[in-house]
């Protein structure tokens, strides 16, 4: 959640002092008054985010707030449109960041602000150990209302919120939310908000009546100081300026005039002048160079692109596309494989690079970006440090902290313009593989040449004892590779199984070599084998070892349909998989909702893969609690109750998704999804098709399942239902011809509707069902 904040450039020394010192801006008066909104607007690239970070970090901000309330908290959020994580650009992210900041400091308010969650965690200690809570927007809003209305603790809140124009929703929504935040109804809590955005019409209309400033009108002095300091850093340039003071002053005046208050423009121009100096320019040459550079960011970007040498155009277009397309920023090391034959990723033997070789490649990439991309793509360094690797200044040992990204959001916007899109389209990379293949193979090559070094850690973290799970998350290398393999499948209806299996072999070898004796699956024959690397993807939940999940199971779970089918056609027999049946992965989410990261595994059910698995002999009626060859049951190790067969579980999951909502993480997810008609209808259709396939391939239509009407832990109403009743309840409002034909198919096979209340006298039967002893009943109590 701090990703954008950490990326923002620190304020240049002795700049932005005017916001505290200039009384005409009324910023200090606003701080001392302790209420209302202060709006900081400005052109793109003028330094708004740097100023907001400066305000957030500067002790003077907090010290200037009224002292009438003892408890003072400055909390912030920095919207990030380029970030891979949806929370960085959403209302949910805003509320979560602010609530986390406040409640971390004032923990006595947790039970007041989050009473339901606090009560749940207090009663269910296993939930605390295994994970957290899947938040909904309505819950977060309610929590903030409870915070500002509580009377337990007097509190003054100063919120610093940057980049409203990077919010992913409609501007009206974020404006309404912030208006509500700043109007607490309790005397014990006072809230004031400092906002920043570009001067878009919606924000002009909403905030021009509040105290405000325009950054570009106030930065002339800061720009002059920055340019002077940069010039003085270079001894030769400082000498030239001293010897030709008139030209030096004229250069400064022209920079100030053309900059129009935009700091980013100044940075680019100063870099251009320093490049000229390195080429032997004198002050007159520098002045001519400056006069050729246009005012305004977009015209400057255009000039920079036009100045790229023609022989580099194809490579420039390729680099622009890769940086724009990549799910998360590549490291310079990964990007160094851009011109390599992708099939190198298939090699069984890999050279492990030394720090010197990594540094050599880093320097080469930096030079190529400069010559091919005119400085519009840069290498940035994360401010995070690794305990075992020390300072990030040691480049070779800290390659994983480097990332290749656009210089600024405005570059991404510029490249999206029609003019530049046409320029890119006229420079096809004829000899370059599909861009998704190129990105995923660069990721695999990075893992190969570093021996998966980024997975190492020197401390225990969660159930895995490693940070492998982090690399399944938005900025992780594994997710990068898997994401682009999925994208390729969606676009071309073909898999990249050869590269996926290269990844599988590499990481499973790493698990065997790096984690001896850990996560071993003991079979009845006393043999041992490592758990599959994909089972380490959860940080707050551990998959029962009896699942015996393999690579095919993971590919089914994430919806990599073509790869699964290709793997089957290459000889993999899904009906012989030990442990949890492969067909079960296709229809059931057995990881609890709070453990599933970023929806990668939610609702990936695909009728095509269900059909293929059934064709290959997977049995929808295979028991889930009596596995072959005397294997241990894994059913009892799950953290919720499920059906006794894959088919019964399909019935339970059908009802869970489409008929009942409650307090569980998954239930709240489907409750929100039900408000999005197109996505919910797509999910319904995939489920209807899969449901019908299970019926066609011999699902036992005589089974009955017991389901709970509500999610209250203390009082539940249970109903015994038939497959037909569940199907009709789930899809009654879904208008599609397949619904009626599937209903007819079930009726033709003799199934009837049954929806019978299970009364107290039947509870003994129900209890036996919960223990797994019932004959044809399955219990659905809390499937998440």
């Amino acid at each position: 959640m701090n990703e954008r904040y950490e990326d923002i450039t620190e304020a240049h020394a002795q700049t932005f002092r005017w916001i505290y010192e200039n009384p005409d801006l009324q910023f200090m008066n606003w701080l001392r008054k302790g209420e209302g909104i202060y709006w900081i607007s400005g052109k793109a690239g003028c330094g708004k985010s740097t100023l907001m970070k400066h305000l957030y970090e500067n002790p003077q901000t907090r010290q200037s707030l009224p002292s009438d309330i003892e408890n003072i908290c400055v909390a912030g959020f920095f919207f990030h449109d380029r970030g891979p994580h949806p929370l960085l650009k959403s209302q949910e992210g805003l509320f979560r960041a602010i609530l986390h900041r406040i409640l971390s400091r004032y923990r006595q308010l947790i039970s007041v602000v989050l009473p339901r969650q606090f009560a749940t965690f207090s009663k269910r200690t296993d939930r605390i150990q295994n994970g957290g809570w899947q938040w909904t927007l309505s819950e977060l809003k309610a929590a903030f209302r409870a915070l500002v209305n509580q009377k337990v603790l007097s509190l003054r809140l100063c919120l610093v919120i940057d980049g409203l124009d990077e919010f992913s929703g409609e501007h009206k929504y974020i404006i309404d939310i912030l208006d509500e935040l700043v109007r607490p109804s309790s005397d014990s809590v006072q809230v004031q908000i400092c906002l920043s955005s570009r001067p878009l019409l919606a924000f002009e209309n909403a905030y021009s009546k509040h105290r405000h400033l325009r950054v570009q009108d106030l930065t002339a002095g800061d720009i002059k100081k920055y340019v002077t300091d940069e010039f003085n850093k270079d001894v030769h340039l400082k000498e030239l300026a001293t010897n030709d003071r008139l030209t030096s002053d004229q250069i400064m005046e022209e920079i100030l005039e053309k900059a129009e208050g935009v700091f980013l423009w100044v940075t680019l121009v100063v870099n251009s002048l320093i490049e000229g100096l390195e080429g032997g320019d004198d002050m007159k040459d520098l002045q001519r160079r400056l006069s050729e550079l246009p005012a305004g960011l977009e015209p400057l970007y255009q000039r920079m692109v036009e100045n790229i040498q023609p022989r580099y155009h194809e490579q420039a277009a390729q680099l622009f596309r890769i940086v724009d397309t990549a799910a998360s920023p590549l490291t310079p090391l990964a990007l160094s494989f851009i011109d390599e034959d992708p099939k190198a990723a298939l090699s069984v033997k890999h050279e492990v690079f030394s720090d010197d070789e990594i540094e050599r490649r880093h320097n080469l990439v930096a030079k190529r970006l400069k010559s091919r991309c005119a400085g519009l793509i840069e290498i940035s360094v994360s401010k995070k440090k690794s305990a075992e690797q020390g300072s990030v200044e040691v480049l070779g040992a800290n390659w994983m902290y480097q990332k290749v990204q656009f210089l600024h959001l405005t570059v991404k916007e510029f490249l999206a313009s029609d003019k530049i899109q046409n320029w890119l389209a006229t420079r096809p990379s004829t000899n370059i593989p599909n861009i998704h293949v190129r990105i995923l193979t660069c990721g695999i090559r990075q893992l190969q040449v570093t021996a998966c070094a980024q997975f190492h850690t020197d401390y225990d973290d969660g159930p895995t004892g490693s940070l492998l799970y982090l690399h399944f998350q938005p900025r992780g290398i594994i997710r990068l590779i898997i994401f682009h393999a999925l994208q390729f499948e969606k676009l071309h209806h073909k898999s990249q199984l050869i590269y996926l299996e290269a990844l599988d072999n590499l990481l499973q070898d790493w698990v065997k070599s790096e984690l001896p004796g850990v996560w071993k699956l003991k079979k009845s024959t006393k043999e041992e084998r490592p758990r599959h690397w994909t089972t380490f993807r959860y940080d707050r939940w551990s998959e029962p070892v009896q699942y015996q999940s393999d690579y095919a199971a993971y590919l089914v779970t994430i919806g990599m349909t073509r790869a699964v089918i290709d793997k089957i056609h290459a000889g993999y027999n899904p009906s012989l998989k030990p442990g949890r049946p492969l067909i079960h992965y296709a229809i059931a989410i057995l990881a609890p909702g709070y453990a599933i990261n970023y929806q990668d595994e939610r609702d990936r059910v695909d009728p095509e893969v269900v059909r293929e698995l059934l064709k290959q002999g997977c049995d929808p009626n295979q028991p889930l609690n009596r596995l072959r060859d005397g294997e241990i049951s894994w059913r009892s190790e799950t953290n919720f109750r499920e059906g006794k067969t894959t088919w019964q579980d399909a019935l339970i999951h059908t009802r869970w998704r489409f008929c009942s909502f409650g307090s569980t993480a998954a239930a709240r997810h489907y409750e929100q999804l039900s408000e999005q008609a197109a996505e919910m209808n797509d999910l319904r259709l995939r489920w209807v098709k899969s449901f019908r396939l299970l019926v066609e391939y011999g699902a036992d239509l005589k089974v009955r399942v017991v389901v709970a009407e509500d999610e209250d832990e203390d009082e539940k109403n249970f109903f015994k239902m038939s497959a037909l009743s569940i199907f009709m309840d789930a899809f009654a409002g879904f208008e599609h011809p397949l619904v009626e034909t599937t209903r007819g198919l079930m009726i033709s096979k003799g199934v009837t509707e049954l929806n019978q209340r299970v009364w107290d006298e039947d509870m003994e039967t129900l209890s036996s069902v919960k223990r797994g002893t019932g004959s044809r009943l399955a219990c659905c109590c809390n499937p998440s």
Side-chain angles (χ1 to χ4, degrees), residues 518-558:
V518 182
W519 303 306
K520 298 290 186 180
L521 174 57
K522 293 187 177 181
K523 303 174 72 174
S524 57
T525 59
K526 304 300 182 182
E527 294 177 351
E528 293 186 347
R529 68 177 177 89
R531 289 181 60 175
H532 196 266
W533 60 271
T534 58
T535 64
F536 307 152
R537 63 189 182 273
Y538 308 111
D539 65 326
R540 296 176 293 172
W541 181 73
S542 184
E543 190 177 279
V545 294
Q546 287 84 0
Y547 283 15
Q548 299 195 48
S549 296
D550 58 10
Y551 201 36
Y554 175 66
L555 296 177
V556 169
T557 301
I558 63 174

Side-chain angles (χ1 to χ4, degrees), residues 168-187:
S168 60
E170 292 186 26
H171 295 148
K172 177 182 183 300
Y173 294 150
I174 194 65
I175 290 169
D176 291 345
I177 286 294
L178 296 175
D179 283 346
E180 183 178 349
L181 296 188
V182 84
R183 292 198 307 266
S185 57
S186 170
D187 293 336

Side-chain angles (χ1 to χ4, degrees), residues 333 351-353 358 399 445-454:
L333 176 59
E351 175 190 359
V352 176
F353 288 172
I358 291 174
W399 57 267
R445 290 292 287 134
Q446 173 179 298
L447 291 173
Q448 291 172 341
V449 303
T450 60
C452 304
Q454 59 265 58

Side-chain angles (χ1 to χ4, degrees), residues 52-72:
M52 295 295 280
K53 183 175 183 177
H54 177 70
L55 295 175
Y56 185 66
E57 292 180 340
N58 197 320
Q60 190 170 351
T61 299
R62 188 184 187 283
Q63 293 165 3
S64 301
L65 297 171
S67 57
D68 56 324
I69 297 179
E70 179 181 357
N71 301 296
I72 298 175

